[in-house]
Amino acid sequence: MGPTFLCELGLFFLCTLLCSGHAQDAVLTVEPSSTIFIGETVNFKCDMKEGEHTDWEYKIIMDGREILNSNTNKGLRLKIASTAQSGKYSCSAHRKSSQNTKNSNTVSVTVKAGKPRATLTPGSTIIPVGGSVTLTCSVESSAGWKYEWFRRDPNTEVQIRTDDQQNGVIRVSQGGIYHCRGRRGNPDYYTDKSDDVTIEITFSNKVVVKGRPSWPQIFSGETISLTCEVQEGGETTEWEYRWRGPNQTTQWTQNNYWIFNVSESSSGDYMCKSRRRDDSYSSTEWSEAFNLSASNAVLTVEPSSTIFIGETVSFKCDMKEGEHTDWEYKIIMDGRGLFNSNTNNGLRLKVASTAQSGKYSCSAHRKSSQNTKNSNTVSVTVKGKPRATLTPGSTIIPVGGSVTLTCSVGSSAGWKYEWFRRDQNTDVQIRTDDQQNRVIRVSQGGIYHCRGRRGNPDYYTDKSDDVTIEKTISNKVVVKGRPSWPRIFSGETISLTCEVQEGGETTEWEYRWRGPKQTTQWTHNNYWIFNVSESSSGDYMCKSRRRDDSYSSTEWSEAFNLSASTVPRTGNSSFPALLIVGLICGLLLILLLLLCRFIQSKDSCFASTNQTINQTINQDEARDSQHASPHQGQP
């Protein structure tokens, strides 16, 4: 690699650096946006990255041709008059004090025809009680806008907000008619105002619809009067009312009633709302619906509108005039005729499939005339054969008391119930009657189940699952242990006995045990014997029942607490005390000997010590001879 090659390589990198720097000599920015509307003023800013902006002479170039020049950067403004001014813009600047010239980047500018219109989008047009809603103002896809907001009511129109922020979203809590517009640029450029949006505020007063006559089933030709009542304050004269029916919604009116003649098309839900007369942008919520069913005839379905496979359905089509033999009847399901009858009494159908679910009505033709009437519609649901459900209030009957048993069949109605009880020997039906006796009380233990019955002919559900009810008897039981002390050591054997008190021989009873780890089965033995381990610690209880009644038993006994330990017990409790006394005496004797050695001579000390010891021995022997003297002479 020679010097010539290195020189060429260095020149190449220098050229590359200079060329890349030339591409970024100046920066052109376009304000307020690269998307401009006719009538706006565009501000071009050509930044030379050096010197003052008065050091340069500027040119604005569009699609390669000069359209504007200025001695300063601040004079580069252009008012847009035509969409033909769309194009690629750049700037070029020549420094006044030298031959230095710089060219900028290119910016694509789009000019749109016509003045833009702001768009106002409400989060909701109904302000909830105590709340607010959002309003959003926007201008197509262009940027840089600030917004002005306006509200008017019947009396005034005011500008409610304007500032220098891009406040495109605001929250309002006042009813009225709102609109907005956009503003940007220098000088200011305004969009057209948005379309109006009406915002209503909901206040807390409740309204209710009442009908006269008050029953929901009305017949064609009758007149009904609906009244809208405002509750929780306010006189009638302060309010206006609006109605919504199945076919129309009325305008606001000062009358709080709606009177009309009923026809079949009148069937449906009716609601009202109210507002104060001095505030047309605030109102109550819609009332709950008043349901009106208008018909010429009334169809009823027995035993229920929920039917099970195998049941017989009875339809009753009431024409509200004449005898039932005056009419020829037809039962209609989902718009097609199923069967007909010359009398109302013959309208029966045995249900065989869930496909027979549907909307049923009846139609009747009077035999003596051309008069025909159509009934209301009843939705009938067909299900598979049901099983009754038995729910006990408790499965344990307290001493001297009883418990409730409840039988039910899903969510269907019209059932009567049959009740059964069995014990070891019998299974009997304990109660059946024509009342809807779904709840009974029992005071006898046993296994219970139930089933439902309804219709004509009788239709029966499957029997419920069994529920076992146990009765608590008054005898008391107590646990006794042998050995009787509660603290037992591992490896010992304990025998627990369950004793029935207040009557009853042992042979009449069975017993059940509950320990810290298990509950035993019933047994004829009233004892529980086992080897003790540390895991045996805990409470032990028992209960008892008579052998001839397995569904009655005593309550659990009070707990016998067993504490198992691995530390053995000592044979002589006085041994530790004697050991301590011996040690103290030995220490005292040693101290006495040492004291004598340093105070007296060796001989005198030992003599004195021997004398003291001999005196002590003689005293002990004398005392022992005195204690032994009463037993002398015995064998």
Side-chain angles (χ1 to χ4, degrees):
M1 184 182 297
T4 304
F5 175 77
L6 291 174
C7 182
E8 290 176 353
L9 183 62
L11 290 173
F12 170 76
F13 280 113
L14 180 61
C15 181
T16 302
L17 181 62
L18 291 174
C19 290
S20 62
H22 180 75
Q24 298 179 356
D25 275 349
V27 176
L28 174 65
T29 55
V30 178
E31 294 179 349
S33 170
S34 60
T35 300
I36 305 296
F37 297 92
I38 292 176
E40 277 198 279
T41 298
V42 182
N43 289 299
F44 299 99
K45 182 179 179 182
C46 195
D47 187 357
M48 293 298 107
K49 300 296 183 181
E50 62 175 287
E52 299 294 330
H53 68 88
T54 54
D55 295 343
W56 301 83
E57 293 177 345
Y58 300 90
K59 292 180 182 179
I60 298 298
I61 300 165
M62 170 190 160
D63 294 337
R65 56 188 179 84
E66 179 184 337
I67 62 167
L68 187 68
N69 57 60
S70 173
N71 286 328
T72 69
N73 202 355
K74 296 183 176 179
L76 300 174
R77 291 187 176 186
L78 176 64
K79 187 167 184 177
I80 302 298
S82 168
T83 57
Q85 291 173 282
S86 297
K88 296 185 180 296
Y89 285 77
S90 63
C91 71
S92 174
H94 174 74
R95 195 159 195 170
K96 300 173 183 178
S97 59
S98 69
Q99 297 301 315
N100 189 10
T101 299
K102 289 187 178 183
N103 297 309
S104 76
N105 56 305
T106 299
V107 178
S108 293
V109 174
T110 302
V111 178
K112 294 191 173 183
K115 196 172 188 180
R117 176 185 291 274
T119 300
L120 195 159
T121 306
S124 172
T125 58
I126 304 295
I127 300 172
V129 175
S132 60
V133 296
T134 60
L135 302 179
T136 302
C137 196
S138 60
V139 182
E140 294 185 1
S141 58
S142 54
W145 297 95
K146 300 165 187 175
Y147 297 93
E148 297 179 353
W149 294 89
F150 304 85
R151 172 187 174 273
R152 74 170 185 271
D153 57 25
N155 304 314
T156 60
E157 175 165 322
V158 294
Q159 184 170 340
I160 60 172
R161 184 171 173 184
T162 179
D163 52 40
D164 287 334
Q165 306 301 316
Q166 293 186 12
N167 54 334
V169 181
I170 65 171
R171 296 194 71 89
V172 297
S173 56
Q174 189 175 9
I177 299 176
Y178 289 83
H179 58 261
C180 66
R181 69 177 179 182
R183 169 177 58 86
R184 75 177 184 182
N186 185 13
D188 286 336
Y189 174 83
Y190 294 93
T191 68
D192 287 337
K193 290 182 178 179
S194 69
D195 293 334
D196 289 339
V197 170
T198 299
I199 302 295
E200 294 184 0
I201 185 171
T202 304
F203 48 77
S204 60
N205 296 76
K206 303 295 184 183
V207 289
V208 62
V209 176
K210 295 183 178 180
R212 184 175 295 174
S214 58
W215 47 82
Q217 182 74 44
I218 306 293
F219 293 93
S220 296
E222 290 187 302
T223 299
I224 191 168
S225 174
L226 301 179
T227 304
C228 185
E229 295 185 2
V230 181
Q231 300 179 338
E232 301 175 10
E235 298 295 330
T236 306
T237 54
E238 298 178 4
W239 302 91
E240 292 181 329
Y241 305 87
R242 194 176 191 184
W243 291 91
R244 177 189 289 168
N247 299 315
Q248 63 172 315
T249 300
T250 70
Q251 299 298 315
W252 289 100
T253 174
Q254 294 185 5
N255 298 323
N256 71 328
Y257 54 84
W258 191 10
I259 302 173
F260 55 92
N261 291 326
V262 174
S263 66
E264 287 189 67
S265 63
S266 303
S267 297
D269 290 336
Y270 290 79
M271 295 175 283
C272 73
K273 67 192 303 185
S274 185
R275 71 182 184 189
R276 297 187 183 275
R277 296 182 186 176
D278 58 356
D279 186 357
S280 58
Y281 302 108
S282 299
S283 69
T284 66
E285 294 180 333
W286 286 102
S287 69
E288 292 186 1
F290 177 92
N291 183 265
L292 181 66
S293 178
S295 62
N296 289 321
V298 177
L299 174 67
T300 54
V301 178
E302 295 178 350
S304 171
S305 60
T306 299
I307 305 296
F308 299 92
I309 292 175
E311 276 197 281
T312 297
V313 184
S314 295
F315 299 98
K316 183 180 179 183
C317 198
D318 189 355
M319 294 297 107
K320 298 299 181 180
E321 61 175 290
E323 300 294 328
H324 69 87
T325 54
D326 296 341
W327 300 83
E328 293 177 342
Y329 301 89
K330 181 186 293 184
I331 297 299
I332 301 165
M333 171 190 163
D334 295 337
R336 55 186 177 84
L338 282 184
F339 62 94
N340 50 56
S341 173
N342 286 327
T343 69
N344 204 354
N345 293 335
L347 300 174
R348 290 190 175 189
L349 174 66
K350 187 168 183 177
V351 176
S353 168
T354 57
Q356 291 173 279
S357 297
K359 295 184 179 296
Y360 286 77
S361 63
C362 70
S363 175
H365 174 74
R366 196 159 196 171
K367 300 173 185 178
S368 60
S369 68
Q370 298 299 315
N371 188 13
T372 299
K373 289 187 176 184
N374 298 309
S375 78
N376 56 305
T377 298
V378 177
S379 294
V380 174
T381 302
V382 178
K383 297 183 176 181
K385 190 172 184 179
R387 177 185 293 274
T389 300
L390 195 160
T391 307
S394 171
T395 59
I396 305 295
I397 301 173
V399 175
S402 61
V403 295
T404 59
L405 302 179
T406 303
C407 197
S408 59
V409 183
S411 59
S412 53
W415 296 96
K416 300 164 186 176
Y417 297 93
E418 297 180 354
W419 293 89
F420 304 85
R421 173 187 175 273
R422 74 172 184 270
D423 54 24
Q424 296 98 318
N425 305 314
T426 60
D427 187 354
V428 296
Q429 184 170 340
I430 60 173
R431 183 173 174 184
T432 178
D433 52 42
D434 286 333
Q435 306 301 315
Q436 294 186 13
N437 55 332
R438 66 187 299 265
V439 181
I440 65 172
R441 295 195 73 89
V442 297
S443 56
Q444 189 176 9
I447 299 176
Y448 289 83
H449 60 261
C450 66
R451 69 178 179 181
R453 170 177 57 87
R454 74 176 184 182
N456 184 16
D458 284 338
Y459 174 81
Y460 295 93
T461 69
D462 288 336
K463 289 182 178 179
S464 70
D465 292 333
D466 290 340
V467 172
T468 299
I469 301 296
E470 294 186 0
K471 180 178 181 178
T472 306
I473 57 180
S474 59
N475 297 74
K476 302 295 183 182
V477 288
V478 62
V479 177
K480 294 183 178 181
R482 183 172 295 174
S484 60
W485 46 80
R487 187 169 184 81
I488 307 295
F489 293 90
S490 295
E492 291 185 305
T493 298
I494 190 167
S495 175
L496 301 179
T497 304
C498 186
E499 295 185 3
V500 181
Q501 300 179 339
E502 301 175 12
E505 296 296 329
T506 305
T507 56
E508 298 177 4
W509 301 92
E510 291 180 327
Y511 305 89
R512 196 176 191 185
W513 290 91
R514 179 189 289 169
K517 291 187 174 180
Q518 63 171 315
T519 299
T520 70
Q521 300 300 315
W522 289 100
T523 176
H524 289 182
N525 298 323
N526 71 330
Y527 53 84
W528 190 9
I529 302 173
F530 55 92
N531 291 325
V532 174
S533 66
E534 283 190 82
S535 63
S536 302
S537 296
D539 290 337
Y540 290 79
M541 294 175 284
C542 72
K543 66 191 305 186
S544 185
R545 71 182 183 189
R546 296 187 185 276
R547 296 183 186 178
D548 59 354
D549 185 358
S550 59
Y551 302 107
S552 298
S553 68
T554 67
E555 294 179 334
W556 286 102
S557 68
E558 292 185 1
F560 177 92
N561 183 265
L562 182 66
S563 179
S565 174
T566 58
V567 179
R569 291 180 292 129
T570 59
N572 187 351
S573 60
S574 63
F575 176 76
L578 292 175
L579 181 62
I580 294 172
V581 171
L583 290 173
I584 293 173
C585 291
L587 289 173
L588 289 175
L589 183 58
I590 293 171
L591 291 173
L592 182 60
L593 291 173
L594 293 173
L595 184 62
C596 290
R597 183 175 182 178
F598 288 102
I599 297 175
Q600 299 177 352
S601 65
K602 180 177 181 182
D603 293 336
S604 62
C605 179
F606 277 107
S608 177
T609 302
N610 290 333
Q611 183 180 359
T612 301
I613 292 173
N614 290 332
Q615 289 176 355
T616 302
I617 292 173
N618 291 334
Q619 290 175 359
D620 290 339
E621 289 177 350
R623 185 171 57 253
D624 291 339
S625 65
Q626 289 177 359
H627 285 296
S629 60
H631 301 286
Q632 290 177 359
Q634 294 180 357

